[in-house]
Amino acid sequence: MKSVLLKTQGITKYFHDPYTFQVLKDIDMEVYKGEFLSLVGKSGSGKSTLLYLLSTMDMDFGGKLNINSEELTGKSPDYLARFRNEHIGFVFQFHFLLPEFTALENVMIPALKLGKFSEAKIKTKAMEKLDLLGIADQASKVSSKLSGGQQQRVAIARALINDPLIIMGDEPTGNLDSINSKIVFDTFKRLTRDLGQTIIAVTHDEDFASRTDRTIEMKDGKITS
Amino acid sequence: MNVILTIAKTHLLSKPKQTLVAMLGVTFGIGMFIMMISLMTGLNNFTEDLTKISSADIRLYKDVTEPRSTILDRIHPIGLNHVHSVKPKNESDKIRNARQIAEILREDPEIIGVAPRLTSQVFYNFGPVKLNGSVAGVDILEEDKLFNLSSKMKAGSLSALITTSNGLIIGSGLAKKLSAKLGDLLILTTPQGVTYSMKVVGIFQLGLGEIDNVRSYSNISTVQKLLGKDAGYITDLNIKTTDYRSAKLKAEKIQATFGEKAEDWETANSTLLAGAIIRDIMTYSVSITLLIVAGFGIYNILNMTIYNKMKDIAILKATGFAAKDVTAIFLTQSLIIGLLGSLMGLIMGFVFSLLLAQVPFDGGELLALDSLPINFDPQYYVIGIVFGVLTTALAGWIPSRKAGYIDPIEIIRGI
Ligand SMILES: Nc1ncnc2c1ncn2[C@@H]1O[C@H](COP(=O)(O)OP(=O)(O)OP(=O)(O)O)[C@@H](O)[C@H]1O
Ligand SMILES: [Mg+2]
């Protein structure tokens, strides 16, 4: 039986700069636990905008957002920051790491912020995640010294560190060559299949989308399928 | 370690030069403050000590300059009275019942000592030299209690004055000008023309030229004789209190009780002490200016850091750091800069104060002073560090708060 993990009701969003226009129009969608969902659509159709809303980073919209049976609209920014820290892992198109810190420290920081485990425990967990992504040997390198593909894998390890409910990726392979894209895709696939991880990924890559569990297509701020 | 502190530390260490420059700004501000305040309060304390050499905490005397009410005023107290050419009465400046007043005052637990005094202008003659000066008739033991005279004796002793009825303890400057030594006989002439031969039994040096060059002490009865006055004739009562800081209040109380003028040391020396206020104003305005400059330095550097770290801020916020956490990261940086910078400033200020204390300073013949008076009161070091940290906290607060409100989406999208 499929249980709903994330649910939106009538989400609308407007931008007012330089002129008012509606980016998202009455979005109703459900994401099931453990599925690998891809979000596709033409450039400018509103995919990124939607993903930022789902990740709770942008709460300036109309409608309702519910994750893990919790209504998130109207919650305070501090509460949402904490919620994001604990339950949402985000992977960006550009491998966003803190450049002065090592790969290991980058993975550890969200867990240190959460403060659920001791520093030693967090360190072993972080090493496990790096190992899962096959870059444990790079752990002590300063992140700015890693290759693009390696950095993206560190970013995925970081997204996993607090065992989140959902991982969201905005074109996570968009900036990678085909080999690294394959590695990232395979990792996502493995996470959903073996660990029951829920993943939403925005992509332009048709091949990528076709091999996910389900694809949602957007056009002009509406979900078409 | 706390993750916010770790991040703040990493940011600071990744740009060591910039961090150091920001710290040095604070260091100079605080260092200058410590140096200036040490010198200025040193000078203030020194002038205060000088005035304390010559003035008692409170001086009780009869104020004959106070305007006198006319008989008309007394008869018609409510009318509009006008009397032309009111002439001063020939009033005696004797304090009535001075000895009884002194006894009553000595009972007061807030009063340590009461020394009666009667002063006369005199000419000192010694051989061919004739000098203008004054002789203070005192009870030398009481006087010692108030002004610690025994420690200021260059030659002879206080007790010799008690045993010698025509004894005289003269100032060191006076002794030098007269070339008088212990045992010499001086001829004193009063303005009334009375002459009296007196024997030098001691030489004192208060370190204040204006006194050492003119004054001598003798027994009160001798001066009464010189002036042709009775044994009850006393013009001044010098009073020492337990707390000279509150002498002003005490003086008002004494004046109200005894009906004679009681003047505290601060009022008596207000012109000399006025310099203290000016020095304080100077110290604080220079230090505050330096700190404001340091504050702007920190503000600038932090703004630059935040601008360079926009991407990091976006990552932190996306991974669940709240606005207040991001603010805390940058505020911590400015506080670390402020704290370390201030501590270095304290050390710098202390070292410079030590050096200043070595600077030779010639006070001339007016002041017995061989180097600059420096105050090492730890209180100013506490003020310094509080000042330094507060300034950096304030300067860091504005950009740090701004950093907290950075919208991560704009940065993630914009890259
Ligand atoms: N901050 C903003 N202010 C005004 N308009 C915006 C803003 N952000 C996005 N838009 C507009 O909203 C629309 C949707 O943008 P969005 O980034 O969500 O598209 P997308 O589907 O992710 O496109 P792409 O595939 O190119 O990344 C676009 O027309 C974009 O110009
Ligand atoms: Mg996009």
Side-chain angles (χ1 to χ4, degrees):
Chain A
M1 203 199 89
K2 291 196 278 187
S3 71
V4 176
L5 185 61
L6 182 151
K7 188 174 150 87
T8 69
Q9 275 178 305
I11 283 189
T12 54
K13 181 168 176 75
Y14 294 85
F15 279 123
H16 302 285
D17 191 35
Y19 49 86
T20 301
F21 89 108
Q22 191 171 7
V23 217
L24 298 177
K25 296 166 188 161
D26 206 22
I27 304 268
D28 287 320
M29 65 182 275
E30 286 181 343
V31 180
Y32 306 107
K33 209 172 200 136
E35 76 169 333
F36 188 177
L37 178 69
S38 57
L39 198 57
V40 298
K42 274 213 233 94
S43 181
S45 56
K47 306 181 294 293
S48 295
T49 308
L50 178 60
L51 201 68
Y52 297 143
L53 299 190
L54 299 183
S55 75
T56 75
M57 272 193 276
D58 180 3
M59 293 304 278
D60 180 21
F61 61 84
K64 284 184 170 167
L65 172 64
N66 184 305
I67 300 179
N68 202 24
S69 324
E70 189 177 346
E71 185 55 54
L72 292 173
T73 31
K75 288 285 197 302
S76 78
D78 284 358
Y79 181 87
L80 292 170
R82 167 90 195 173
F83 185 89
R84 229 165 24 241
N85 184 218
E86 193 167 3
H87 299 307
I88 296 174
F90 212 97
V91 182
F92 311 95
Q93 175 176 3
F94 300 91
H95 12 80
F96 264 132
L97 297 175
L98 300 176
E100 294 103 348
F101 292 85
T102 63
L104 181 64
E105 285 167 337
N106 264 287
V107 177
M108 286 170 72
I109 283 172
L112 292 171
K113 172 66 193 126
L114 188 63
K116 234 181 178 171
F117 301 107
S118 73
E119 194 173 332
K121 177 90 207 276
I122 289 169
K123 199 166 186 165
T124 26
K125 273 189 77 173
M127 279 310 293
E128 278 168 28
K129 303 293 178 195
L130 284 173
D131 197 35
L132 188 69
L133 286 138
I135 40 165
D137 54 330
Q138 307 291 327
S140 58
K141 257 196 195 169
V142 175
S143 68
S144 54
K145 299 261 161 69
L146 297 174
S147 78
Q150 287 169 333
Q151 290 192 31
Q152 194 62 311
R153 280 187 274 163
V154 174
I156 295 170
R158 181 182 63 196
L160 287 169
I161 188 68
N162 286 336
D163 301 318
L165 294 170
I166 311 180
I167 287 185
M168 301 186 186
D170 191 0
E171 301 181 38
T173 60
N175 206 32
L176 298 176
D177 60 30
S178 57
I179 297 172
N180 276 306
S181 294
K182 188 171 156 22
I183 293 172
V184 168
F185 181 83
D186 289 347
T187 308
F188 278 172
K189 197 75 194 169
R190 191 151 48 93
L191 289 172
T192 47
R193 196 186 55 222
D194 299 349
L195 305 171
Q197 180 69 55
T198 314
I199 297 176
I200 310 174
V202 169
T203 186
H204 278 287
D205 185 343
E206 277 172 34
D207 188 39
F208 184 110
S210 67
R211 292 193 289 143
T212 58
D213 299 342
R214 185 159 69 103
T215 301
I216 289 178
E217 193 174 347
M218 284 188 75
K219 198 181 171 206
D220 295 333
K222 278 198 218 113
I223 289 178
T224 53
S225 71
Chain B
M1 208 183 354
N2 182 314
V3 63
I4 285 174
L5 195 61
T6 312
I7 296 173
K9 205 184 71 190
T10 309
H11 280 178
L12 287 178
L13 292 179
S14 71
K15 287 233 162 45
K17 242 187 235 163
Q18 185 183 299
T19 306
L20 198 67
V21 167
M23 273 183 200
L24 285 181
V26 184
T27 301
F28 279 116
I30 299 295
M32 276 306 279
F33 168 74
I34 292 294
M35 202 173 84
M36 285 191 63
I37 200 109
S38 301
L39 177 60
M40 295 303 179
T41 55
L43 282 172
N44 287 354
N45 290 352
F46 180 74
T47 30
E48 205 175 284
D49 288 349
L50 280 187
T51 65
K52 298 292 293 161
I53 289 172
S54 53
S55 329
D57 296 347
I58 299 169
R59 174 173 161 245
L60 191 77
Y61 63 101
K62 181 155 188 179
D63 194 0
V64 288
T65 57
E66 207 104 301
R68 187 157 61 92
S69 57
T70 60
I71 295 174
L72 196 57
D73 285 328
R74 253 171 275 162
I75 296 168
H76 285 293
I78 28 175
L80 179 64
N81 307 315
H82 203 94
V83 181
H84 291 277
S85 305
V86 182
K87 297 221 166 52
K89 215 167 78 178
N90 181 17
E91 271 182 295
S92 157
D93 51 7
K94 167 185 172 171
I95 302 176
R96 255 176 238 254
N97 302 325
R99 298 222 181 259
Q100 286 89 327
I101 291 175
E103 281 315 312
I104 295 167
L105 285 174
R106 283 189 188 114
E107 306 278 291
D108 191 327
E110 287 176 27
I111 288 172
I112 295 172
V114 182
R117 182 185 287 190
L118 172 62
T119 307
S120 171
Q121 295 292 312
V122 287
F123 285 108
Y124 296 99
N125 290 359
F126 184 56
V129 193
K130 193 171 182 182
L131 281 178
N132 195 357
S134 68
V135 57
V138 295
D139 177 339
I140 198 72
L141 294 180
E142 283 292 337
E143 196 76 7
D144 185 31
K145 251 200 244 170
L146 262 72
F147 297 103
N148 196 14
L149 277 183
S150 47
S151 72
K152 312 262 167 65
M153 294 300 287
K154 303 277 283 186
S157 69
L158 296 180
S159 51
L161 189 67
I162 303 168
T163 54
T164 322
S165 71
N166 68 336
L168 196 65
I169 298 176
I170 62 175
S172 59
L174 197 56
K176 204 166 148 196
K177 287 189 195 168
L178 293 167
S179 326
K181 290 182 291 295
L182 281 189
D184 287 343
L185 281 176
L186 303 183
I187 308 294
L188 271 63
T189 313
T190 67
Q192 288 79 19
V194 179
T195 60
Y196 208 80
S197 162
M198 298 190 77
K199 186 178 170 190
V200 177
V201 297
I203 296 170
F204 71 86
Q205 184 174 32
L206 294 184
L208 204 58
E210 60 179 284
I211 292 176
D212 293 339
N213 291 343
V214 296
R215 185 185 290 170
S216 63
Y217 292 104
S218 80
N219 290 307
I220 203 158
S221 53
T222 314
V223 179
Q224 282 163 348
K225 245 182 272 169
L226 258 177
L227 292 171
K229 300 289 186 183
D230 62 277
Y233 193 85
I234 288 165
T235 57
D236 295 84
L237 285 178
N238 283 325
I239 301 165
K240 186 181 174 71
T241 61
T242 47
D243 176 21
Y244 73 92
R245 291 267 163 227
S246 53
K248 198 174 201 118
L249 277 173
K250 191 73 191 162
E252 279 166 16
K253 273 189 227 154
I254 292 174
Q255 181 163 341
T257 313
F258 299 103
E260 303 285 5
K261 175 88 178 168
E263 190 180 51
D264 65 282
W265 64 280
E266 278 178 290
T267 313
N269 297 289
S270 49
T271 39
L272 235 152
L273 296 174
I277 299 166
I278 294 165
R279 279 192 285 270
D280 280 350
I281 291 172
M282 250 174 63
T283 306
Y284 280 96
S285 53
V286 169
S287 309
I288 286 171
T289 311
L290 283 171
L291 277 177
I292 288 175
V293 172
F296 271 110
I298 287 180
Y299 175 86
N300 267 334
I301 284 176
L302 216 60
N303 253 340
M304 231 161 68
T305 308
I306 288 166
Y307 185 79
N308 291 331
K309 293 263 175 269
M310 288 283 219
K311 213 175 89 177
D312 298 45
I313 294 168
I315 299 168
L316 289 171
K317 291 196 88 171
T319 54
F321 281 72
K324 59 173 189 280
D325 301 321
V326 174
T327 302
I329 287 172
F330 290 97
L331 200 57
T332 305
Q333 294 184 35
S334 75
L335 283 178
I336 291 174
I337 290 174
L339 200 65
L340 292 184
S342 303
L343 281 175
M344 293 197 300
L346 294 190
I347 295 170
M348 181 180 122
F350 181 70
V351 170
F352 276 115
S353 301
L354 277 181
L355 291 177
L356 271 183
Q358 310 292 317
V359 173
F361 184 80
D362 186 7
E365 69 168 21
L366 219 60
L367 308 173
L369 187 66
D370 40 18
S371 64
L372 287 175
I374 304 292
N375 184 4
F376 287 98
D377 191 342
Q379 163 194 352
Y380 296 109
Y381 290 74
V382 175
I383 292 177
I385 200 149
V386 169
F387 253 28
V389 172
L390 275 185
T391 316
T392 48
L394 210 69
W397 171 245
I398 302 156
S400 300
R401 224 175 83 96
K402 216 176 61 190
Y405 287 116
I406 285 173
D407 181 3
I409 295 168
E410 268 178 43
I411 290 139
I412 294 166
R413 187 189 280 288
I415 202 136

